[in-house]
Amino acid sequence: MTRVAEKGNFVLGDEVEMFEEEFAAYSECKYAVGVDSGLSALKLSLLAYDIGPGDEVIVPVNTFIATAAAVTFVGATPVFVDNPAGDYNIDVTRIEEAITDKTRAIIPVHLYGIPADMDPIMEIAEKHNLLVLEDASQAHGAYYKGKRIGSIGHISAFSLYPAKNLGAFGDAGIITTNDESVIKKLKAMRNCGQVAKYQHEYAPYNHRLDTIHAAVLRIKLRQLDSWNVMRRQVAQWYDEALASTPYATPQVSDDVKPVWHLYVIRADDRDGLREHLGKHQIGASIHYPDALHQVGYYKDLNYNDGDFPVAEKQAKQVLSLPMYPHMTKSHVEEVVSAIQSFESVVQPQ
């Protein structure tokens, strides 16, 4: 950080390019482009493939609004798909029924750091000639069948928000891809459309990654794998301690290696349990309280309550327990003890 300050190159300085090279190598990709947020990474990825008005993009209904917002902001229409019972990612068996002659892309989200089932998604995309944009904003360093998340789809978007597994000192994001044809366009669009100074050949957006964030991220990237190992240990402790309780814990396929951005359980009396934990000075959060079709901004898409029954039910049950790399086993035991002391326990259906 001192080096950046002394050099005074605060926008697209050397550290940005170095971080891009390092993150691309880490993600097992050829290219990476740093931007100012995960939402910008999603939006620019769609624009790089000329997705816009009149197009449809398939999006899981159970995700943060940024996934769908990127589609809306390029002028396209998000088409929602439910998730299967017991899983928080997109239901791959329902993707094809959502495809129309307007469909241009699929955005699978690796929610909570648990990879989506990518093989059938890529097969469907190849069959229908669709772009696959991975929303990897919660899955830095995760694996699917031995492949790094962010290297499987045609292009991938990561958020580097401070609370992520790899976070900057403010908003930031990055795009990864093996597709050389879009790199020039991505780098230009993030920087006022410039291919060189004052040569504006592409849409003039301003979505640059600040040099000081890149400097911080380069140092933190070296620790990411070790932090993810620690998160996996915390998740294992939770799994073991909660096995004898009536709460639904995350179900993970043998094909994936999650990074546990969040550890989410389900409970019928979720709000009561959250309040109870708060009385024990244990913070628990809700990710997310509504499926996207129930969010006010998307009411004009004319979906109805009941259209996505799994996501709608889970939205009323999900509770994110404390999860961070340096949690100890005694911390986990304290959380689970407080959960077990909650009297109104009902097994989720």
Side-chain angles (χ1 to χ4, degrees):
M1 293 174 72
T2 301
R3 184 170 65 248
V4 172
E6 289 175 344
K7 210 168 184 179
N9 194 350
F10 296 109
V11 178
L12 295 181
D14 296 342
E15 299 280 350
V16 173
E17 185 174 351
M18 288 187 282
F19 173 61
E20 289 171 340
E21 292 174 355
E22 291 161 1
F23 193 81
Y26 176 84
S27 301
E28 301 175 358
C29 282
K30 293 180 181 178
Y31 310 104
V33 178
V35 294
D36 59 353
S37 72
L39 175 54
S40 295
L42 289 163
K43 183 176 76 172
L44 291 180
S45 295
L46 293 169
L47 289 168
Y49 288 92
D50 299 318
I51 293 174
D55 296 331
E56 293 179 350
V57 177
I58 293 174
V59 175
V61 76
N62 180 35
T63 183
F64 183 55
I65 195 170
T67 312
V71 178
T72 306
F73 292 164
V74 302
T77 301
V79 175
F80 297 133
V81 172
D82 209 349
N83 50 297
D87 192 340
Y88 299 112
N89 288 318
I90 192 167
D91 187 341
V92 296
T93 68
R94 294 184 176 274
I95 292 175
E96 283 200 280
E97 66 188 41
I99 294 174
T100 71
D101 58 2
K102 297 180 180 180
T103 307
R104 291 285 310 283
I106 306 169
I107 306 182
V109 180
H110 308 297
L111 202 66
Y112 308 149
I114 302 172
D117 192 1
M118 291 301 296
D119 278 357
I121 293 172
M122 297 306 296
E123 290 169 6
I124 292 168
E126 183 176 2
K127 177 181 176 182
H128 296 276
N129 192 29
L130 303 176
L131 173 75
V132 175
L133 164 56
E134 293 182 70
D135 185 341
S137 295
Q138 301 182 11
H140 317 67
Y143 283 94
Y144 173 82
K145 294 186 177 180
K147 298 177 182 178
R148 284 277 198 194
I149 290 302
S151 69
I152 303 169
H154 302 103
I155 193 165
S156 303
F158 292 81
S159 169
L160 301 171
Y161 182 77
K164 303 298 185 182
N165 292 40
L166 178 65
F169 275 12
D171 267 326
I174 196 163
I175 301 163
T176 58
T177 185
N178 289 311
D179 187 351
E180 185 178 7
S181 69
V182 297
I183 294 303
K184 180 181 178 181
K185 188 174 183 180
L186 286 166
K187 288 188 173 183
M189 285 192 298
R190 73 169 174 187
N191 187 28
C192 300
Q194 299 178 104
V195 295
K197 194 167 185 178
Y198 302 131
Q199 294 180 27
H200 306 273
E201 295 186 10
Y202 296 96
Y205 299 102
N206 182 1
H207 293 311
R208 300 173 293 212
L209 174 62
D210 290 334
T211 309
I212 203 159
H213 287 323
V216 169
L217 289 161
R218 290 187 66 213
I219 301 302
K220 295 179 76 174
L221 180 60
R222 301 168 193 172
Q223 307 298 323
L224 180 55
D225 279 342
S226 63
W227 290 336
N228 285 340
V229 168
M230 296 162 76
R231 285 176 179 272
R232 291 186 188 105
Q233 178 62 79
V234 174
Q236 182 178 336
W237 287 332
Y238 270 132
D239 285 345
E240 293 169 352
L242 292 167
S244 59
T245 72
Y247 294 102
T249 54
Q251 302 300 303
V252 177
S253 162
D254 292 337
D255 290 334
V256 305
K257 191 174 183 181
V259 290
W260 298 108
H261 174 59
L262 299 172
Y263 188 92
V264 178
I265 64 172
R266 296 200 315 276
D268 278 350
D269 190 6
R270 183 267 312 282
D271 295 335
L273 176 58
R274 185 188 186 197
E275 181 180 357
H276 175 79
L277 292 175
K279 292 177 181 177
H280 287 75
Q281 288 74 54
I282 295 170
S285 301
I286 300 171
H287 300 88
Y288 300 96
D290 295 293
L292 284 186
H293 70 296
Q294 297 174 315
V295 173
Y297 183 69
Y298 284 116
K299 292 294 187 181
D300 62 348
L301 293 182
N302 296 318
Y303 289 108
N304 299 307
D305 289 346
D307 285 348
F308 305 99
V310 177
E312 290 173 30
K313 184 170 186 177
Q314 289 183 353
K316 301 296 186 289
Q317 297 175 326
V318 290
L319 187 67
S320 301
L321 302 182
M323 165 59 79
Y324 54 93
H326 294 87
M327 281 188 76
T328 65
K329 191 172 185 180
S330 63
H331 289 147
V332 172
E333 289 171 347
E334 181 181 351
V335 175
V336 174
S337 177
I339 290 172
Q340 291 173 326
S341 70
F342 181 57
E343 295 180 355
S344 302
V345 174
V346 179
Q347 172 68 43
Q349 298 300 312

